[in-house]
Each structure stands twice: as C-alpha cells, then as structure tokens.
Amino acid sequence: MSTDFYREGEPVADAKAPAGPISERWEKRRFSGRLVNPANRRKLRVIVVGTGLAGASAAATLGELGYRVANYCFQDSSRRAHSIAAQGGINAAKNYRNDGDSVHRLFYDTVKGGDFRSRESNVHRLAEVSTEIIDQCVAQGVPFAREYGGLLDNRSFGGAQVSRTFYARGQTGQQLLLGAYQALQRQVAAGTVDLHTRHEMLELVIVEGKARGIVVRDLVTGEISTELADAVVLATGGYGNVYFLSTNAMGCNVTAGWRAHRKGAYFANPCYTQIHPTCIPQSGEHQSKLTLMSESLRNDGRVWVPKQKGDDRHPADIPEDERDYYLERRYPAFGNLVPRDIASRAAKVVCDEGHGVGPGGLGVYLDFAAAIERLGKKAVEAKYGNLFDMYERITGENPYERPMRIYPAVHYTMGGLWVDYDLSSNIPGLFVAGEANFSDHGANRLGASALMQGLSDGYFVLPNTISDYLADGPFDALDETHEDVVAARKAVDDRIGFFLNNDGDRTVDSFHRELGKIMWEYCGMERTDEGLRKAIGLIRGLKDEFYRRVKVTGKNEQLNQELEKAGRVADFLELGELMCIDALHRTESCGGHFRAESQTEDGEAKRDDEHFSYVAAWEFGEDAPVLHKEALEFEYVKPTQRSYK
C-alpha cells in the first residue's frame, strides 16, 4: 500500500513479550532470558549515550554488574542532563495513603491516560517496578518529602484519583538525578565506567547488521573519534525542540536517535507530542525556550478565566460569580487534575473563545488564593516555594498575591525509537531507554511518569534484558580500519565539511525558529488534513533552502555551537516532516494527537480503535518513509471512550 507521502510495509511484532498472566510476564521474561557470568562480563563492552535518569542509572548498573561501560553526554557535567529540570514528582504504587492504589491501578491509569495506545505488557512491568524505584532512591539518600511521622509523603497528579506521587519539593528531577549521578560516579571511581562529557554522538556504527559503536565529536576541540563496543544503548531524551519553543533545554535534540533511524532503526509514533498545560506564556519573539511550572501546582491551584470576554481587570477585582473554573465545570470527577492533554486542549478552547488573559489573550489563571486561605501561606510555601520564586523572577508578579498566568507548551514526546519488550530496537545490539524510546506512554504521558520510566528502564529493565543479547558475545573484534567503521566516520566528516563550507546567508537559528512556527501552527495542539499537507510542503521547501542558504561560522577544531546546532536542525527538519506524515495518516484523535476532523459532539478526542489500534513504526526511506504496523491487543484494560467527567 502507498500514499502520496509514504509506503506501507510488512507488520512488525514484539517477539520478546511473554504470554501468560500479565502479573507474571516480567518475572517469566527475567527467568527465561540468558545470563552472562561475572567473568565473561569483564570481556564485554557497552556504550551508553546519555547521562539523564535512564542513561546514568543504566551505565551505573551495568558497571556494577561488571561490564566495561563507556558513557557519553554532550553536557559539561553528567549531572546537567535534562532530567534535572523535572519538578513535580515520580509515581509509584506504594499505596502509602491507603487510598486504593495498587500496581494494577497504576497500570490501568497509565494505559487509560495514554488513550489506549500503549502495550499492556510494558505498562504493567513499569507499574511493578515502580515500587522498587522508590526503595532504591531512598537508599541512595534522595531527600523525598516526608510526613510528620517520618513516612514518605505523596501528592496527587493529573490523571489519577489516588495520591501516588513522591516528590522532593519542586526539585524531584534534580534530586533523583543526583542519586543516579552518585551511583554513576561510584562506578567511574571503580574503573568500570569510562565517562566522556562534552562529546556528541553524530553517527551509529553498524557492522554485519549489528550496532557496534558510535562516532562522536569532542565539543571543545572538535576531534572526531570512534568508540566500538558489543552493544549500544541510547538514552538521549525526547525531541520536543523540533518546535523551537518548548520546555526543553536548548541543547536537547534528536540527533542520536535520528542517526540510528537513518541506519534502519524504526521510529515509532512520532506525532505523539505532549503539550504541557502549566507553562509560563511566551512574552515575545526574543524567547528561545519556555519555562515549565510543575503540574503539581494543580493540586492546590484552581484554573479559571473570566466569564466576560476580554476582561482585563485585576484578577482580584473579578468576583467569584464572574469566573469560569472551566476544568471543574467540564470534568467534575477530576477537576483540575485531568491529564495533560485534556487540560491543554481545554485551555486552548477558552482562549480561542476570547476568555484568555494576559498579552494576546494566550493565558489562563492558576490561582492559589483558596489554598493560602485554607492551608496558610507557610504551608503553601513549604510545598511550592521554589516554583513560586522562579515564577516571580521570570514574570515580576508575586503568585502569593496574584494568580499565575499559564498556557500550554510543548514538553514531552511519547514517540521515539521502536523497541521490543527487551528495550531492543529492530537493529540487533541497539537498545533504547527512557524518553528516547516509545514504549510505555501511548498517546499521552501522565504527569510524574517520565522519571518513573527513566529509572525503571535504567536500573531494573535494561540490565536484565541486555544480558540475553550479550550472552552471544564477545563479538568479533573490530578496529577503526573496518570498512563499515571507516564509512561511518567519513559520513560525519562529510557532513561537517558541508556545513562549514556552504557559505550561505541565513543563520541556523532562523531556520529552526521558522520550522518551529510551522510545527506549532499545523502539528501542535490541533491538527487538520489541510494543515498537515501544507506543513509537509512548507518543511520540504524549508529543508531545500536550509541546505542552500545556511551559514555556519568558525571551524571544526574549536568550540563551535553554530556547527552543533546545524547538525541538530538538519535532523529536526527531517523529523518534522515525518511527524506531520504520521499525524496525517492517523485520522483519529487520541491523547496528544488531536485531529479536528475526529472529535465528539462536546469537543473531546474521538479514537478510531477499529482502524488505528496499532503502533506506527516508521522505517527511513530516501524517497518516502515505510510504515510498519504493530497491532495492539488489550486483554486486561478494555478500550473505552476516555472520560474524566
């Protein structure tokens, strides 16, 4: 089958997922997988790219097990990975509150929250492992908030009616990353992990069909080098920066994953992008990123807009009966704690209707007046003080005295490289962990589940599954003279040479910003057939212009951030086109993918389970991408119209 934009190939299946009762599958897989004895582990080399929660925990655990690990990151310190920016918390089915939580309920909430577009086996494993994560982190000294009696505290998060989110004030990601960083540095000191900061992966080395290494650039000296190993693990985060403006750090990119995709790794569900409802609105064209306000604020903050269109009075002057607490009105069962995709679309609707506040009417209020009156200012400050301080530094407004203004923005990406139950891509020897893979969240990620997945993959899943592959090793020895290694290195040299010698007249950032506007306009919170087709044409034209007119100053043999950005934006241009093709082919609405042509009478997302209950795994093609479908089967959670009312 073919269309104007893609061809359809053979279906793909997850051959590693075990059968049987879902609560027994993970244990069954761990027992059936082959092991590597300790003496042989010392002969095996594994490359881990990324030092966020997934990468640092994977590298530390593999090092502790005795493998020889090379760990790479482009930051100047491994503890500056973007996981540090996560604020609100990490989910775990501990049921400390005795409010009805369980592994099965976390499994159910996650499958439902992802709009029934994730694998049941993967999600149940994530829910099982969640309880181990908390014990591991407490043992590492992560300073989770505690109740009066000393037990770990919990708070609520969107998409759940129980309190299962463990947190460290508004710095949970930072504290968890410091725990993983300590574990990693222990292995660095022990000599099992060789850590390389300020290095960026620019190519995947494949020999005889297996992933055997990477080509990296030293971002300080420009030196290009090749690292060879028996297996490669990518833990390089998401691709939200394709939109230019997002909550991601400016350095976040898709290059590692995209280089693997171009070498044959399937890219799954790229159109599934999470729009976070709680971000500080854009203040002008000068901005290069947006700032996230933790979803945890929706525990005590009430979201509202004036009932009167264009009402620009001070919020304190707007009486209660002239306010629309629209989330509480539309979703009484969950109120302000509806999942992110629901809250984001609801904010867009009220702003599109003219009820938005702030510059351009692109904002809604997040009001803590009732919480301060009920709990007292000190209690609110203890829970959210650092977030309030950050908001005031950025906006100049005091959220204790005036409601925050928030608006949706690009945040997390549920799509990523396709992996099986073992976290192996379709390229043997290439494993993918954390946000870089697609496996656990379906079409929408529930809040506080990113940190859970990253640590689950790194500490508990990958170390137990990669051994089944490595049991066949060590593989044939390689050196840099092998023709496939030489070809990979040459591809990097040629690409860098092109950018430095192109001598165009437009900056890299100008192309990135233009791409971001196209993506936000046509492949953002709402997508249409006409808009997506237009976007594909615009992106193709922009890509042609990029290769004709981009200008990269400086040279390779130095710190050259323009050169770094050029390679990343080139990959974003190709990814952006695939995202639009994926969104165009999926004519249903689900989770973070909202097609205007597919909605219920009251404006909610309308799925089409008959035709789209599958993972879209895309194979790179020079002429057109090839779609491989992985059918999704639901034995334990019956797909229904998702309702939070």
Side-chain angles (χ1 to χ4, degrees):
M1 178 180 176
S2 64
T3 72
D4 295 343
F5 298 111
Y6 69 93
R7 294 181 289 111
E8 191 165 324
E10 294 298 315
V12 64
D14 176 10
K16 298 292 178 59
I22 197 166
S23 61
E24 299 174 8
R25 291 177 186 174
W26 176 225
E27 184 59 36
K28 183 177 180 180
R29 179 60 190 144
R30 283 196 292 183
F31 182 74
S32 63
R34 294 172 297 168
L35 301 177
V36 180
N37 78 58
N40 286 341
R41 292 176 202 160
R42 294 191 290 271
K43 304 173 186 176
L44 293 162
R45 188 167 182 80
V46 180
I47 293 170
V48 178
V49 186
T51 60
L53 288 181
S57 58
T61 308
L62 292 171
E64 180 72 33
L65 288 171
Y67 296 103
R68 293 184 295 123
V69 180
N71 194 193
Y72 285 86
C73 69
F74 65 74
Q75 293 90 353
D76 58 356
S77 168
S78 54
R79 64 180 181 274
R80 294 191 65 183
H82 193 58
S83 300
I84 201 171
Q87 298 167 336
I90 177 171
N91 288 330
K94 285 288 197 181
N95 195 31
Y96 282 175
R97 289 289 183 90
N98 198 28
D99 56 359
D101 201 12
S102 65
V103 166
H104 189 80
R105 187 176 295 279
L106 175 52
F107 158 67
Y108 173 85
D109 287 345
T110 305
V111 174
K112 176 186 175 184
D115 221 349
F116 307 96
R117 290 295 176 262
S118 54
R119 295 187 188 132
E120 283 191 332
S121 293
N122 288 68
V123 176
H124 197 279
R125 176 176 65 188
L126 178 64
E128 289 178 64
V129 170
S130 71
T131 61
E132 300 176 58
I133 294 170
I134 300 303
D135 295 339
Q136 171 102 357
C137 294
V138 169
Q140 291 174 337
V142 173
F144 287 119
R146 295 179 180 268
E147 295 178 328
Y148 173 76
L151 296 177
L152 299 185
D153 196 11
N154 293 118
R155 57 189 178 197
S156 302
F157 248 69
Q161 292 178 304
V162 297
S163 295
R164 63 163 67 102
T165 303
F166 296 78
Y167 65 98
R169 210 178 182 198
Q171 317 168 344
T172 314
Q174 179 180 10
Q175 298 303 328
L176 290 172
L177 186 60
L178 288 173
Y181 172 75
Q182 292 174 93
L184 176 62
Q185 289 301 318
R186 180 176 186 271
Q187 298 310 311
V188 171
T192 62
V193 175
D194 188 10
L195 180 62
H196 303 268
T197 61
R198 303 302 295 270
H199 283 75
E200 183 168 24
M201 171 183 163
L202 297 179
E203 189 59 271
L204 179 69
V205 176
I206 296 182
V207 178
E208 297 178 356
K210 295 182 173 67
R212 293 299 306 274
I214 60 176
V215 181
V216 297
R217 177 176 181 269
D218 184 316
L219 298 182
V220 178
T221 68
E223 180 185 1
I224 310 297
S225 59
T226 306
E227 179 82 50
L228 302 174
D230 296 292
V232 177
V233 178
L234 299 185
T236 48
Y239 49 87
N241 272 359
V242 68
Y243 290 86
F244 187 72
L245 285 176
S246 79
T247 67
N248 289 244
M250 291 181 65
C252 294
N253 63 85
V254 76
T255 289
W258 196 254
R259 295 291 101 194
H261 175 58
R262 289 182 64 95
K263 284 291 185 74
Y266 295 164
F267 208 107
N269 298 337
C271 78
Y272 288 162
T273 305
Q274 181 161 86
I275 312 296
H276 198 293
T278 317
C279 299
I280 298 177
Q282 182 181 358
S283 60
E285 287 294 314
H286 63 282
Q287 279 185 260
S288 56
K289 77 175 298 294
L290 298 172
T291 303
L292 172 70
M293 289 283 100
S294 170
E295 183 179 336
S296 63
L297 294 169
R298 290 198 280 146
N299 273 299
D300 292 305
R302 300 180 69 193
V303 180
W304 64 276
V305 291
K307 290 182 178 179
Q308 179 182 328
K309 295 181 180 180
D311 191 338
D312 60 358
R313 286 178 291 174
H314 190 287
D317 295 334
I318 301 176
E320 280 288 313
D321 61 355
E322 295 182 31
R323 301 179 179 188
D324 180 11
Y325 294 92
Y326 59 89
L327 291 178
E328 299 171 32
R329 170 175 56 82
R330 292 183 59 176
Y331 309 101
F334 281 73
N336 295 299
L337 291 177
V338 292
R340 292 172 175 180
D341 60 324
I342 305 288
S344 293
R345 279 200 302 278
K348 181 180 187 300
V349 168
V350 294
C351 289
D352 287 350
E353 291 174 347
H355 298 280
V357 299
L362 295 178
V364 300
Y365 287 129
L366 181 60
D367 195 340
F368 288 86
I372 292 171
E373 182 178 348
R374 183 180 74 254
L375 303 172
K377 182 178 177 181
K378 286 188 176 181
V380 172
E381 186 176 8
K383 295 170 76 172
Y384 310 115
N386 64 309
L387 298 171
F388 278 40
D389 291 345
M390 181 167 65
Y391 180 87
E392 184 170 8
R393 285 197 302 271
I394 292 171
T395 65
E397 299 174 1
N398 185 338
Y400 294 103
E401 300 172 357
R402 183 187 181 108
M404 289 183 178
R405 287 179 296 106
I406 57 170
Y407 192 71
V410 172
H411 179 52
Y412 188 90
T413 50
M414 286 72 67
L417 292 181
W418 183 90
V419 292
D420 63 18
Y421 191 70
D422 283 2
L423 302 187
S424 171
S425 73
N426 58 298
I427 297 176
L430 178 65
F431 293 78
V432 191
E435 190 180 358
N437 73 36
F438 88 101
S439 67
D440 291 357
H441 305 297
N444 174 63
R445 177 177 69 77
L446 293 183
S449 287
L451 306 185
M452 177 174 62
Q453 188 209 348
L455 292 179
S456 166
D457 286 355
Y459 280 135
F460 300 106
V461 178
L462 182 74
N464 279 291
T465 59
I466 197 172
S467 63
D468 190 64
Y469 176 79
L470 292 173
D472 288 330
F475 301 99
D476 293 341
L478 279 181
D479 62 39
E480 296 186 13
T481 63
H482 189 285
E483 60 180 355
D484 292 332
V485 181
V486 171
R489 167 65 187 265
K490 184 177 185 301
V492 171
D493 289 336
D494 290 348
R495 200 162 188 245
I496 289 174
F498 168 80
F499 288 130
L500 292 174
N501 296 317
N502 193 53
D503 198 26
D505 60 358
R506 280 191 64 177
T507 65
V508 177
D509 279 345
S510 71
F511 284 102
H512 195 180
R513 190 182 294 273
E514 187 172 343
L515 172 65
K517 288 180 178 179
I518 295 169
M519 294 298 297
W520 180 250
E521 179 68 23
Y522 302 110
C523 196
M525 277 196 282
E526 184 174 302
R527 296 109 186 245
T528 65
D529 183 279
E530 179 184 5
L532 289 165
R533 291 178 184 274
K534 181 177 181 179
I536 293 168
L538 290 172
I539 292 170
R540 288 177 173 177
L542 185 63
K543 183 168 66 174
D544 290 342
E545 187 175 353
F546 175 81
Y547 282 102
R548 285 188 289 107
R549 296 183 58 189
V550 71
K551 183 177 183 64
V552 176
T553 56
K555 56 185 180 180
N556 179 55
E557 295 75 24
Q558 65 178 96
L559 177 66
N560 190 337
Q561 292 186 314
E562 288 302 302
L563 178 59
E564 295 170 33
K565 290 189 290 187
R568 296 168 186 170
V569 172
D571 293 330
F572 277 142
L573 285 162
E574 294 183 356
L575 168 66
E577 181 179 334
L578 182 63
M579 289 173 68
C580 292
I581 291 172
D582 187 36
L584 179 66
H585 108 277
R586 190 174 285 274
T587 55
E588 65 166 353
S589 291
C590 57
H593 168 63
F594 188 80
R595 284 289 295 267
E597 303 92 341
S598 182
Q599 56 183 299
T600 62
E601 289 183 1
D602 55 353
E604 302 294 342
K606 185 178 181 181
R607 291 195 326 273
D608 181 355
D609 292 334
E610 180 181 355
H611 298 102
F612 292 100
S613 188
Y614 60 78
V615 175
W618 294 93
E619 178 185 357
F620 182 80
E622 289 291 349
D623 299 323
V626 181
L627 172 62
H628 301 274
K629 298 178 181 178
E630 179 199 334
L632 292 170
E633 298 178 0
F634 296 92
E635 301 177 62
Y636 294 87
V637 181
K638 180 179 174 58
T640 57
Q641 177 64 38
R642 194 166 54 128
S643 174
Y644 293 91
K645 296 184 177 182

